[in-house]
Amino acid sequence: MGIDMQIEARPESGPPHRHPIEFTASGSEYFRIWIVNLLLIVVTLGLYLPWAKVRKLKYFYSNTWVGGDALDFHGQPVKMLRGTLIAAAFLIVYSVGSNFSGWAALFAALAFVLLWPALFRASMRFRLANTSWRGLRFHFAGSTRGAYAAMLPPLALALLPVALAGALAGPTDGIKPGTLPVLATSLVGIGMTIFFLGLPYFLWRLKRYQHNHYAIGGLQTRLSADVGVLYGIFIKLMGLGFVAVIALLGVVAIFAFTGYASRKSGGGLGATFIILSFVLGIGGVFLLNVLPKSYLQVRLQNLLWSTTGNDLMRFDSQLKLKRYLPLQFKNYLLIFLTLGLYWPFAVIGTRRAQLEAVVLETRIALDDITQTAARENPTAAGDMAADLFGMDIGL
């Protein structure tokens, strides 16, 4: 059911109504939730993970406000435990299979490729079916066929050549020595080349599958982003990475020259060496991790959410790199200096920056939107099926 169905509400003329998203969570509150979750996950050997996820989602959703009302999460940990066990089973089967033989690992990888799109769709359905706003449940309208069309090619290209190469690397009678390693290397090389060249396209297909099927009642979103824009982002990211590598090499050269000059003058490195090593390490993390990652996150969020919507409502994301980049650098530095204890504060700060950069724009009053969604609310059968399966992989 989509927006092209018979809906009584009609877009108004004039500028759209703008509804900023507010995020009211605090780092100190989330720290208490996070530390308890972490301890209980360790004590229960991971079995507490679904309960930890529910506590986290309930806290995050209850502090995410749109139009004066907060979101809510209704998932039950016992049902989510099934999804956790399924994911654990995948990892165990693959690990055990890899230890026995390359062919067993290949079959495990093949099973993962064939089943993961269906599990991904189930996870999307579960998460949205258990998310509500103003008493209305969201739902995910994507089909299983769409999930396989979006995810099967990149998964097969990324995993199967490597797994097949591992299988061929094992002992095989009757084949000329040296043939299989060359064949295995060729398979991996071809698969990885196609995967990386097609990565922006594959990401676009996946995001289009997701953003085309978010729905509340009969109001379903569409993604209008063009794949060419995504290629432009990745090309600029590669250029940024190249500049970052050159800058880092420059810092290394200065570091090496300083050390050489100090030794030539007969002085020891001492404190200078320690300081320069720290600066080099921080600079490397910033240039090779924080900078490209932040750039990609900002550009993707603005592109994808600013092109998601329908005739009655759409989103506008204006996340600024000049503000987001210093925030991420501060997060990395404080996480390092506090041995990880700053992590919850970093999560809250990042989520606030991302959410509060987004505005919901509606062509009719927000009350009319919710009334329209309520009138077109689909039957609960699909949501019940998603809830019974209980798959949630943290998307």
Side-chain angles (χ1 to χ4, degrees), residues 191-276:
M192 290 295 101
T193 300
I194 297 174
F195 175 79
F196 283 112
L197 288 177
L199 183 58
Y201 173 73
F202 295 140
L203 179 61
W204 175 74
R205 288 287 302 269
L206 174 61
K207 292 303 179 182
R208 188 177 65 169
Y209 172 69
Q210 290 179 279
H211 288 241
N212 273 359
H213 298 105
Y214 297 136
I216 180 169
L219 305 179
Q220 184 172 318
T221 60
R222 297 186 299 265
L223 179 69
S224 59
D226 186 82
V227 66
V229 181
L230 217 57
Y231 268 96
I233 291 175
F234 274 83
I235 291 173
K236 291 178 181 178
L237 180 65
M238 291 173 60
L240 186 63
F242 176 77
V243 172
V245 170
I246 296 300
L248 183 61
L249 290 177
V251 174
V252 172
I254 294 174
F255 175 80
F257 177 77
T258 303
Y260 171 77
S262 178
R263 288 193 301 270
K264 189 175 181 180
S265 63
L269 293 179
T272 302
F273 179 81
I274 295 175
I275 293 173
L276 288 177

Side-chain angles (χ1 to χ4, degrees), residues 76-377:
Q76 298 180 21
V78 174
K79 294 177 180 178
M80 293 173 65
L81 182 61
R82 304 169 193 168
T84 302
L85 295 176
I86 290 173
F90 264 122
L91 293 176
I92 292 172
V93 169
Y94 184 78
S95 299
V96 173
S98 301
N99 291 330
F100 277 105
S101 71
W103 289 105
L106 174 61
F107 287 126
L110 182 60
F112 178 86
V113 169
L114 292 177
L115 291 177
W116 189 253
L119 296 178
F120 177 85
R121 174 180 177 263
S123 178
M124 294 296 301
R125 291 180 66 202
F126 178 84
R127 175 66 67 89
L128 288 176
N130 287 284
T131 300
S132 69
W133 175 70
R134 291 192 170 186
L136 295 172
R137 297 287 185 106
F138 294 87
H139 62 278
F140 184 71
S143 66
T144 302
R145 180 179 179 180
Y148 276 92
M151 302 189 69
L152 196 59
L155 284 174
L157 286 170
L159 297 179
L160 293 186
V162 176
L164 183 58
L168 293 177
T172 305
D173 298 330
I175 298 180
K176 184 178 179 180
T179 301
L180 288 181
V182 173
L183 178 60
T185 302
S186 300
L187 287 172
V188 173
I190 293 172
M192 290 295 101
T193 300
I194 297 174
F195 175 79
F196 283 112
L197 288 177
L199 183 58
Y201 173 73
F202 295 140
L203 179 61
W204 175 74
R205 288 287 302 269
L206 174 61
K207 292 303 179 182
R208 188 177 65 169
Y209 172 69
Q210 290 179 279
H211 288 241
N212 273 359
H213 298 105
Y214 297 136
I216 180 169
L219 305 179
Q220 184 172 318
T221 60
R222 297 186 299 265
L223 179 69
S224 59
D226 186 82
V227 66
V229 181
L230 217 57
Y231 268 96
I233 291 175
F234 274 83
I235 291 173
K236 291 178 181 178
L237 180 65
M238 291 173 60
L240 186 63
F242 176 77
V243 172
V245 170
I246 296 300
L248 183 61
L249 290 177
V251 174
V252 172
I254 294 174
F255 175 80
F257 177 77
T258 303
Y260 171 77
S262 178
R263 288 193 301 270
K264 189 175 181 180
S265 63
L269 293 179
T272 302
F273 179 81
I274 295 175
I275 293 173
L276 288 177
S277 298
F278 180 77
V279 171
L280 181 61
I282 293 297
V285 171
F286 177 79
L287 291 174
L288 300 181
N289 190 323
V290 181
L291 178 59
K293 184 178 178 181
S294 298
Y295 173 81
L296 186 61
Q297 289 174 337
V298 168
R299 292 299 306 275
L300 286 181
Q301 172 171 317
N302 290 341
L303 171 66
L304 295 173
W305 283 108
S306 293
T307 55
T308 295
N310 52 49
D311 293 338
L312 297 183
M313 62 181 186
R314 66 172 47 260
F315 297 92
D316 179 34
S317 176
Q318 297 295 329
L319 187 59
K320 304 296 184 183
L321 182 62
K322 63 182 180 181
R323 297 180 181 177
Y324 190 74
L325 183 59
L327 171 66
Q328 295 307 307
F329 181 68
K330 182 190 76 171
N331 287 342
Y332 273 77
L333 183 60
L334 291 179
I335 288 172
F336 172 75
L337 293 177
T338 61
L339 303 179
L341 291 179
Y342 189 76
W343 175 265
F345 298 88
V347 170
I348 293 296
T350 298
R351 182 64 61 92
R352 175 173 290 107
Q354 292 171 341
L355 287 176
E356 295 191 347
V358 179
V359 172
L360 173 65
E361 295 184 346
T362 62
R363 304 298 303 183
I364 60 176
L366 203 55
D367 289 340
D368 293 335
I369 288 281
T370 55
Q371 290 173 13
T372 299
R375 283 196 300 269
E376 298 289 335
N377 197 35

